[in-house]
Amino acid sequence: MQTEMIRLDPENPGVDGIEKAAGLIKAGELVVFPTETVYGLGASALDPGAVEKIYRAKGRPQDNPLIVHVSSLEMAGECTVQDLGRYSSILDVLWPGPVTLIFKKSEAIPACVTAGLDSVGLRFPSHPVALRLIEAAGVPIAAPSANISGRPSPTSEEHVIEDMNGRVGGIILAGDTIFGLESTIVDLSREKPTLLRPGPVDAERLGELLPGLEIPGFVRARDEYRGEALSPGLKYRHYSPEIPLILIEGSPGAVVSRAGILARRDKSVVLCSQELADYYPVHVKKVVLGSRNDLYAVASGLFKALRDRDNLNYTQIISEPFPETGIGLAIMNRLRKAAWRIDRV
Ligand code: AMP
Ligand code: MG
């Protein structure tokens, strides 16, 4: 398939490019587009034929539901039977932004979008390109992350070209995404608000907005979630680089010494913080993700480090743990799910 490359300014996307991309969506084709979290692989959420193409292009299991992207509260209201007016005080704070909210779905949303669930994940992105595209298409856009299933999500132009060129109608190229990790997901379709996936809007902030917010154990766990099917997509292994990733968890001294031992046997690259970088042995190749005091910077570079061709020339990637506060909870959630093994030291 010939893929049209559409280059747009992320702040001020030109009308022509947006119209071209929106035309592809309206014609039932797939378009890769940037959001503030990661790049998405979009199709009209109202067109089952187009939605099927998403699953095929990604190689995504059919039981893993898609998030529906909207450009207004009114459009969100058409996708759910719940009264969004009841949530206006939190929606005012969270939307537009990097948060997906799960509500009971309306009949407008076909079953293939939600993998047969009676709920739908809704997201109102703040990225100007995503907003303009949805507005111009005039329909909600179903979009998972634009990676081949199982790989780390794409946060740069290079990543989306690598995974999606030749598989989709169009790719919008608009630079790196901002947060670099997928949206926070909160389920508001059940009795108690429940955090399903940590993300850029942190659990501390959400707890203030949603008193009684449940944080299930699987948010911090590595193993697939085996209990009640709160969110089917959570059971799949995600974000895995092409070579084994070993996450070390423990005190700084123990982490550094374990990394040194592992790196003696295998050609290793270590993803580390600025604070510990100088403590690793010289035979270790270091990639500094950022300071432990600036976890947003760490988050934004994480998937890039897991996909970087230079890093993949090594035998294994070793990662330091990061504090589980703020966006750190999301960083550790992704690292644990991506890890081939976790060494607790
Ligand atoms: P992705 O778009 O690749 O980041 O994945 C979207 C994730 O959102 C899925 O893997 C699910 O875990 C979650 N999700 C989407 N829709 C629902 C829903 N209706 N109920 C629960 N989880 C959902
Ligand atoms: Mg994904």
Side-chain angles (χ1 to χ4, degrees):
M1 172 185 271
Q2 179 73 26
T3 299
E4 189 148 3
M5 296 293 166
I6 304 169
R7 177 160 293 285
L8 288 177
D9 178 339
E11 301 295 329
N12 281 304
V15 178
D16 290 353
I18 290 289
E19 285 299 334
K20 195 181 282 174
L24 288 168
I25 296 281
K26 286 193 259 190
E29 296 299 334
L30 303 182
V31 174
V32 172
F33 64 100
T35 77
E36 67 274 32
T37 57
V38 301
Y39 272 86
L41 171 61
S44 165
L46 307 183
D47 179 345
V51 170
E52 290 305 329
K53 291 181 186 172
I54 295 180
Y55 286 94
R56 249 179 285 138
K58 274 189 70 110
R60 183 175 176 105
Q62 296 279 345
D63 64 349
N64 190 355
L66 306 175
I67 292 172
V68 173
H69 295 67
V70 299
S71 56
S72 66
L73 285 180
E74 197 189 342
M75 196 184 265
E78 285 164 17
C79 301
T80 172
V81 292
Q82 284 176 253
D83 174 15
L84 295 186
R86 275 191 51 209
Y87 299 92
S88 60
S89 61
I90 58 164
L91 295 183
D92 281 351
V93 179
L94 298 177
W95 279 358
V99 179
T100 297
L101 299 171
I102 311 282
F103 292 107
K104 294 272 178 232
K105 85 175 195 69
S106 72
E107 296 214 324
I109 302 299
C112 58
V113 170
T114 63
L117 298 176
D118 64 355
S119 60
V120 60
L122 297 178
R123 180 152 120 72
F124 185 166
S126 63
H127 195 294
V129 172
L131 281 177
R132 300 282 148 67
L133 175 65
I134 303 163
E135 276 163 15
V139 288
I141 294 184
S145 48
N147 52 284
I148 302 281
S149 208
R151 287 193 192 165
S153 300
T155 61
S156 74
E157 297 181 1
E158 196 188 331
H159 299 163
V160 283
I161 293 171
E162 184 176 273
D163 279 16
M164 289 297 153
N165 192 15
R167 293 174 178 255
V168 299
I171 295 182
I172 298 180
L173 300 171
D176 288 355
T177 59
I178 299 158
F179 293 110
L181 288 184
E182 305 82 354
S183 59
T184 306
I185 305 182
V186 183
D187 193 343
L188 296 178
S189 71
R190 353 178 131 243
E191 224 167 281
K192 282 201 170 162
T194 307
L195 179 69
L196 295 184
R197 178 172 75 184
V201 172
D202 60 56
E204 294 87 338
R205 178 83 182 108
L206 283 171
E208 290 166 13
L209 293 168
L210 294 161
L213 177 74
E214 298 255 316
I215 303 182
F218 63 75
V219 166
R220 287 192 170 83
R222 166 180 190 241
D223 288 329
E224 56 189 48
Y225 176 64
R226 292 198 187 81
E228 187 199 351
L230 276 182
S231 184
L234 301 175
K235 68 175 184 252
Y236 294 107
R237 189 143 299 296
H238 268 97
Y239 325 113
S240 306
E242 286 169 24
I243 56 174
L245 168 71
I246 299 168
L247 172 64
I248 308 177
E249 297 199 43
S251 65
V255 168
V256 168
S257 91
R258 177 77 186 149
I261 292 167
L262 291 177
R264 226 178 283 145
R265 278 200 304 259
D266 292 283
K267 221 176 137 238
S268 308
V269 49
V270 176
L271 310 185
C272 62
S273 62
Q274 210 169 289
E275 286 80 357
L276 292 189
D278 291 343
Y279 293 91
Y280 289 94
V282 280
H283 63 281
V284 172
K285 147 134 174 160
K286 285 161 282 189
V287 172
V288 179
L289 292 179
S291 164
R292 292 165 68 87
N293 298 318
D294 184 8
L295 293 173
Y296 278 96
V298 173
S300 74
L302 178 62
F303 288 150
K304 208 170 236 179
L306 295 181
R307 297 184 64 128
D308 191 320
R309 290 278 133 216
D310 290 342
N311 295 346
L312 298 176
N313 285 331
Y314 287 75
T315 319
Q316 64 190 9
I317 301 178
I318 297 169
S319 181
E320 217 177 81
F322 289 86
E324 284 186 274
T325 53
I327 197 172
L329 183 61
I331 294 170
M332 289 305 289
N333 170 273
R334 304 307 190 273
L335 279 173
R336 287 177 184 137
K337 287 194 192 312
W340 183 71
R341 193 177 87 212
I342 300 179
D343 287 1
R344 294 183 205 278
V345 291

